[in-house]
Amino acid sequence: KAGVTQTPRYLIKTRGQQVTLSCSPISGHRSVSWYQQTPGQGLQFLFEYFSETQRNKGNFPGRFSGRQFSNSRSEMNVSTLELGDSALYLCASSLVGRNTEAFFGQGTRLTVV
Amino acid sequence: GNSVTQMEGPVTLSEEAFLTINCTYTATGYPSLFWYVQYPGEGLQLLLKATKADDKGSNKGFEATYRKETTSFHLEKGSVQVSDSAVYFCALSDPTSGTYKYIFGTGTRLKVLA
């Protein structure tokens, strides 16, 4: 069974540009969550999607957005990139239920220069 | 709101030493609790989980017991190896809103010396 796949693995962008990251969940998983990980702030929740609807959103500015498609694949977009957006972006998928765990992809390392 | 608090790292141990990483949580309702491990350059991997009070999760020599009375889920291992060097995250699954949002602690870096 394939795991969570994130593409690309590495990305270098310039300030002011925008970027789109992709996440393919484990087959059958309909919940997809995104996290930003930085050395200073740790692991911060961005948003969670289920059945193409955003159900939870973390405390990030509107420059951060996402969506989920009918096949549960998800994308997140960051517009007007800032140096502080440099981070490892992790996607996690899960079944829905009280006792289920989240499965993580390897992440996309975004560097803003 | 719900939260997870982990002990500050880094934790540095010699090989074969005993490991404890403390984790306490605040939650309404009855969350499920998890420990994840992150190796350099990788995403998080589930290490173990417990879904109700007094449950013990275990995997690869690591153990943690869901203690409702002390709201704790401390990670332990009797004899660490160099290969256990990684960052460990405690997490809970918040069922109160019905959306099962995962809440993570800040992570504890473990370094094991040969």
Side-chain angles (χ1 to χ4, degrees):
Chain A
K1 197 173 187 181
V4 178
T5 303
Q6 290 188 246
T7 55
R9 287 291 311 276
Y10 302 92
L11 208 48
I12 299 175
K13 289 287 188 178
T14 304
R15 266 185 307 176
Q17 287 186 312
Q18 74 163 19
V19 66
T20 299
L21 312 181
S22 180
C23 172
S24 293
I26 291 173
S27 177
H29 288 193
R30 293 165 63 192
S31 173
V32 174
S33 300
W34 289 89
Y35 297 83
Q36 182 196 63
Q37 187 177 26
T38 59
Q41 299 296 319
L43 199 63
Q44 293 189 285
F45 172 77
L46 279 156
F47 25 66
E48 186 243 347
Y49 287 87
F50 176 78
S51 290
E52 303 178 65
T53 301
Q54 186 182 90
R55 298 195 301 185
N56 279 299
K57 190 176 192 306
N59 190 25
F60 277 82
R63 300 185 297 105
F64 291 81
S65 63
R67 60 178 175 168
Q68 186 180 35
F69 302 95
S70 59
N71 62 358
S72 294
R73 191 177 71 84
S74 177
E75 289 181 346
M76 66 163 282
N77 185 279
V78 187
S79 62
T80 320
L81 284 166
E82 301 176 359
L83 295 179
D85 297 333
S86 295
L88 180 66
Y89 289 87
L90 292 166
C91 167
S93 75
S94 65
L95 296 170
V96 177
R98 184 181 173 278
N99 300 331
T100 60
E101 62 268 30
F103 293 82
F104 283 81
Q106 291 186 296
T108 294
R109 171 75 63 185
L110 171 65
T111 302
V112 182
V113 296
Chain B
N2 298 339
S3 65
V4 173
T5 302
Q6 284 182 242
M7 61 187 288
E8 291 278 334
V11 174
T12 303
L13 296 173
S14 298
E15 207 166 23
E16 299 184 3
F18 185 86
L19 168 71
T20 299
I21 300 178
N22 290 337
C23 171
T24 57
Y25 67 90
T26 302
T28 53
Y30 301 95
S32 293
L33 301 174
F34 309 88
W35 276 101
Y36 283 84
V37 58
Q38 185 179 34
Y39 298 100
E42 301 290 324
L44 278 66
Q45 302 172 27
L46 179 69
L47 184 58
L48 53 83
K49 71 176 185 181
T51 59
K52 61 183 187 296
D54 299 325
D55 262 5
K56 177 187 280 189
S58 60
N59 186 27
K60 300 180 181 179
F62 291 90
E63 293 183 339
T65 301
Y66 189 140
R67 302 284 189 202
K68 191 169 184 299
E69 63 277 11
T70 55
T71 62
S72 65
F73 192 55
H74 304 322
L75 182 68
E76 296 181 336
K77 187 176 185 184
S79 176
V80 293
Q81 305 300 312
V82 172
S83 57
D84 294 327
S85 298
V87 181
Y88 292 81
F89 291 88
C90 184
L92 66 82
S93 170
D94 174 9
T96 55
S97 64
T99 58
Y100 304 101
K101 175 181 167 182
Y102 296 91
I103 297 171
F104 287 84
T106 53
T108 302
R109 182 175 300 278
L110 169 65
K111 186 173 182 180
V112 181
L113 305 175

